[in-house]
Amino acid sequence: MQRIRLRYTKRGRLRFTSHRDFQRAFERALRRAEVPMAYSAGFTPHPKVSYANAAPTGTGSEAEYLEIALTAQRDPETLRSLLDESMPVGLDIVDAVEARTSGLADRLTASVWELRLDGVALAEAERAAGAFLGAETVEVQRRTKNGMRTFDARSAVVSLEALPAPADRPLDDACAILRLVVRHVTPAVRPDDVLSGLRAVADLAPPVPAAVTRLAQGLFDEESGTVTDPLAPDREADTAATPTAAGPAAATA
């Protein structure tokens, strides 16, 4: 009957929730909000929810996406508000749009990440970023279910820049921000892989673990070098499908 696409966040302590934890919390919210969900067929029906490229456990995010299928029409904004009220604080439903185009997952081709490096001076972060970008390849290792795997972390990184810490931090407390745009490739290059690469090429080793947050994800625009909103095509299609107030009057005249 209807498909709704949602954007949600993982903030504060809730960044440590796993994807399975979020699934359980979201399905409880669907029941509390009395959402008319469509269910799969078979002996064990489950609500039709499609998750797209979830962030790793332990990372915050402002841009996680999913799609739900309904058996009855609902206003997207009203539905968003009801679901947000039923979710734990930190797992916030912040955007909703009716799915009027196909291929949401195909539009998630890159992410913008922010890495907060406490105890690292800005000059040191700038030096490390320059060394990383100047390297042709940066090989890193990651343990997978099939053992250790070696791959190039440099090729997936489109941009990497060092920024000063927020103005509200004490001046004597060293802190640098790394902001990077990473393409979604196979194998996936994650922020911790980039940190491993910075350690390898520039000996950058923050004294405390970096606080990682995904700021955006979507289709990478080659011309502008930015990551675009993946829900924008649905909004545009919705606007085009909605008749204006002057439309019927003009047709009558």
Side-chain angles (χ1 to χ4, degrees):
M1 177 68 74
Q2 187 183 34
R3 292 179 297 127
I4 301 292
R5 288 169 177 167
L6 304 170
R7 177 167 69 91
Y8 66 94
T9 69
K10 289 173 60 181
R11 296 169 174 162
R13 296 179 62 184
L14 273 297
R15 61 192 284 184
F16 296 104
T17 56
S18 68
H19 181 55
R20 183 164 295 185
D21 292 334
F22 175 82
Q23 286 180 303
R24 287 194 288 262
F26 185 67
E27 290 184 8
R28 285 195 297 267
L30 291 172
R31 292 192 293 270
R32 291 193 190 107
E34 299 181 346
V35 178
M37 290 295 300
Y39 281 77
S40 63
F43 292 104
T44 56
H46 58 273
K48 289 187 175 181
V49 183
S50 300
Y51 298 93
N53 196 37
T57 302
T59 63
S61 180
E62 295 295 317
E64 301 297 292
Y65 294 92
L66 60 83
E67 180 178 301
I68 59 177
L70 309 182
T71 58
Q73 292 284 333
R74 290 292 185 270
D75 174 65
E77 177 55 28
T78 302
L79 181 65
R80 183 209 65 78
S81 179
L82 289 171
L83 285 172
D84 186 50
E85 291 175 0
S86 301
M87 292 289 287
V89 176
L91 298 178
D92 305 316
I93 312 297
V94 295
D95 201 358
V97 64
E98 183 172 358
R100 293 184 176 272
T101 62
S102 60
L104 173 62
D106 294 336
R107 295 202 291 270
L108 303 179
T109 62
S111 289
V112 181
W113 293 96
E114 182 176 277
L115 285 63
R116 192 186 72 202
L117 307 179
D118 289 305
V120 176
L122 176 60
E124 185 180 1
E126 289 175 335
R127 177 190 61 81
F132 185 94
L133 293 175
E136 291 187 6
T137 60
V138 179
E139 289 192 347
V140 298
Q141 289 186 324
R142 185 200 304 159
R143 184 175 299 280
T144 67
K145 60 182 180 182
N146 297 321
M148 294 297 294
R149 182 170 185 177
T150 301
F151 57 95
D152 177 27
R154 172 64 186 90
S155 59
V157 177
V158 178
S159 64
L160 173 62
E161 61 177 332
L163 305 171
D168 58 353
R169 293 185 64 88
L171 295 177
D172 57 348
D173 188 5
C175 178
I177 303 295
L178 289 179
R179 187 163 295 173
L180 58 152
V181 177
V182 181
R183 295 181 188 271
H184 298 169
V185 297
T186 304
V189 174
R190 305 184 307 201
D192 55 335
D193 299 321
V194 176
L195 287 170
S196 297
L198 290 168
R199 186 180 303 111
V201 300
D203 197 28
L204 180 67
V208 296
V212 181
T213 303
R214 172 147 56 190
L215 301 180
Q217 68 168 321
L219 191 65
F220 181 70
D221 188 327
E222 298 285 351
E223 293 185 1
S224 64
T226 59
V227 175
T228 61
D229 179 9
L231 300 184
D234 295 298
R235 292 193 185 90
E236 293 169 2
D238 184 62
T239 301
T242 303
T244 61
T252 302

